[in-house]
Amino acid sequence: MTETSREISVRMRGVRKSFRLGTLETPVLQGVDFTVRRGEMMFLVGPSGSGKTTLLSVLCGTLRADAGEITALGQSLQTLPDRALTRFRARHVGF
């Protein structure tokens, strides 16, 4: 089956995010890959400190990923300017 952008709500490929404090760098997301298709439900579970909030923050654009591709509703999020990303969140994201 060929997937079209209409069938895919969210796709992450090779997403990486680290946090730096001085010279200490802590990798949080290390090559995250997943796809959520239209109509699917996904649960994000894991122990405290495993990166759940960071993943959601990167997915909605409140944090920028260090690397990888993030597509939501057919829109490439990592290439959006800050103002366009804010508009995208206002229209499509809710917690």
Side-chain angles (χ1 to χ4, degrees), residues 25-79:
E25 184 173 336
T26 305
V28 179
L29 304 177
Q30 301 178 52
V32 175
D33 294 313
F34 71 84
T35 300
V36 179
R37 290 165 188 80
R38 189 176 191 175
E40 285 185 327
M41 185 179 297
M42 182 176 140
F43 294 91
L44 186 59
V45 295
S48 178
S50 63
K52 298 179 302 288
T53 300
T54 300
L55 179 71
L56 289 174
S57 297
V58 166
L59 178 59
C60 75
T62 56
L63 284 177
R64 296 280 188 172
D66 298 332
E69 300 173 15
I70 305 165
T71 305
L73 304 175
Q75 178 67 57
S76 174
L77 298 187
Q78 70 270 26
T79 61

